[in-house]
Amino acid sequence: MQAPKKYALAGTGSRAQMYIDALSGSHRDAGRVVAFVDTNEHRMAHYDSHAALASGTAPLHYTPDRLGEMFDVERPDALVVTSPDFTHAHYVTEALARGVDVVCEKPLTTSVEGLRSIVDAADAAARTSGAKLVVTFNYRYSPRNAAIREIIASGQIGKVTSVHFEWCLDTVHGADYFRRWHRNKANSGGLLVHKSTHHFDLVNWWLGDVPETVYAQGGLRFYGAVNAAERGGGPRPQLSRDNPDRADPFNLDLAADPKLRALYLEGESDDGYLRDRDVFTEGIDIEDNLSLVVGYRGGASMAYTLVAHSPWEGYRVAINGTEGRLEIEVVERGSVAPDRHTLDPSAAVDPHLAGAAARPEGTLVRVQRLWEPARIVEIHEGEGGHGGGDAILLDDVFRGPGVDPLHRQAGWGDGVRSVLVGIAGNESLRTGQAVRLADFGLPLVEGEAHTAEKAGAR
């Protein structure tokens, strides 16, 4: 039996909880957390009692400027990266350079420069220490998405010719990106990188293909001060807590949510991070409506749209092939009540919103071959986030994927491809032109050569 590993964790915001709870509970046999790295002492202290359940000893705390000291003193076997997106490349490359395995939340990073540094570090680690980088695309592990991969691979719809992909973020989950650090593209890469990376990876994985060209349109059309004023709205306070209209459905009451209060409101004095910025104020430079056309090496194309102010949350995908068509519709939250806020609908369904007859929550997968009637594909989903996918991902990360014909565990090449589609989309928004991914000078497949000269051109 393999000895339990020592894990360090960079970033102790809300996403960290899944990993900390796993290593202190369901996966405590696989390892324990020995160190936290964060700018905020309060958030690290908040998780101490969770992480100590496995060993009885709380992890030691390190600020990011003491990262090297953490590696030297704690000697972790692996680093889990759940920090803000723009910091990922630093943590990933430092760990790989020291021969430490990395488990990185999506997106892999937010810039071409960050991708290049990660690719170089991963190449060097492969030749020397053998340190491994895993990118945690949890949507791959959702049973409904795994079923799509299986159906395409089986040949039921023939060779894929085109994909139509629509993702709807509702006015609770979607709005939240416009009050947090994500509202600035320098931090998150915008929704094309932070959020859509999930979706681009799904299609890359479903098709087993490589994206090559991107053309994008979009903008900030709902959130922000200008849009609010155009719809007749008056001045807004900078923070939700200062809004005198407590019934405003776009308010976020940090004090009323135990987790948000403990992680963010009570920790503001440590680093000044404000979690409840108003979504209709100045300073937002990311888009809330996005449309892309993506061309693939194998000949297929994708039409992709994302809206961040929908009245319901979920996605619709249609995949056309030479022998038929595959469709999936997922309603994660059928509607949003103005007085009930569960930020992530995939994590826990709000019972007060379930059961609407016109838009029932759930999953529908339909296959229709040419000259045949449509048939429904039954999907068996589990408990927990992403239809039980989070639990499968944690097994994969902490115990190993074993024999997986679906190849769900993602490496750095998968991370690079998904991020580059988003980066290319941002470049296309800026220039109004189609963008070739090869022009960034990065390998689109692990093992392909890349040139810094090409990458430096952008």
Side-chain angles (χ1 to χ4, degrees), residues 125 200 232 267 328 410 422:
F200 302 147
I328 177 171

Side-chain angles (χ1 to χ4, degrees), residues 244-262:
D245 182 4
R246 306 316 297 168
D248 185 335
F250 286 98
N251 264 7
L252 177 66
D253 188 349
L254 295 177
D257 185 298
K259 183 177 180 180
L260 295 178
R261 183 179 66 247

Side-chain angles (χ1 to χ4, degrees), residues 40-96:
N40 192 287
E41 173 62 30
H42 185 89
R43 283 198 293 272
M44 291 190 283
H46 170 77
Y47 283 119
D48 278 348
S49 60
H50 297 258
L53 290 175
S55 63
T57 303
L60 294 182
H61 298 177
Y62 293 85
T63 51
D65 61 306
R66 298 173 59 208
L67 182 64
E69 179 188 350
M70 186 280 293
F71 283 123
D72 291 339
V73 173
E74 309 303 331
R75 298 191 176 277
D77 300 296
L79 177 70
V80 179
V81 180
T82 59
S83 56
D85 302 346
F86 72 97
T87 68
H88 286 187
H90 172 64
Y91 288 122
V92 170
T93 56
E94 287 293 314
L96 291 176

Side-chain angles (χ1 to χ4, degrees), residues 150-310:
E150 291 174 325
I151 292 167
I152 293 172
S154 73
Q156 293 180 50
I157 64 168
K159 181 182 179 180
V160 173
T161 58
S162 64
V163 179
H164 177 84
F165 196 131
E166 176 191 27
W167 197 284
C168 297
L169 291 165
D170 66 30
T171 45
V172 171
H173 191 191
D176 206 42
Y177 294 110
F178 296 83
R179 60 171 63 96
R180 296 184 283 170
W181 53 263
H182 309 71
R183 68 191 337 236
N184 297 124
K185 198 167 283 191
N187 295 334
S188 65
L191 291 181
L192 281 181
V193 172
H194 175 79
K195 185 62 181 176
S196 300
T197 292
H198 259 324
H199 315 151
F200 302 147
D201 175 71
L202 267 184
V203 177
N204 297 345
W205 177 64
W206 282 339
L207 303 187
D209 207 347
V210 178
E212 290 192 323
T213 59
V214 174
Y215 176 73
Q217 289 281 294
L220 182 65
R221 295 169 181 161
F222 182 79
Y223 301 106
V226 172
N227 293 316
E230 288 180 350
R231 295 193 296 271
R236 306 272 297 194
Q238 291 297 308
L239 303 176
S240 284
R241 72 191 73 170
D242 297 327
N243 189 339
D245 182 4
R246 306 316 297 168
D248 185 335
F250 286 98
N251 264 7
L252 177 66
D253 188 349
L254 295 177
D257 185 298
K259 183 177 180 180
L260 295 178
R261 183 179 66 247
L263 283 177
Y264 302 107
L265 184 61
E266 295 174 357
E268 284 180 358
S269 60
D270 281 7
D271 57 9
Y273 175 54
L274 300 171
R275 177 65 174 78
D276 63 338
R277 294 186 183 277
D278 189 90
V279 300
F280 296 112
T281 51
E282 300 285 354
I284 298 170
D285 62 12
I286 66 171
E287 300 81 15
D288 54 25
N289 281 259
L290 291 155
S291 298
L292 271 71
V293 176
V294 181
Y296 280 85
R297 183 174 291 179
S301 62
M302 173 175 66
Y304 171 86
T305 62
L306 179 144
V307 60
H309 55 91
S310 170

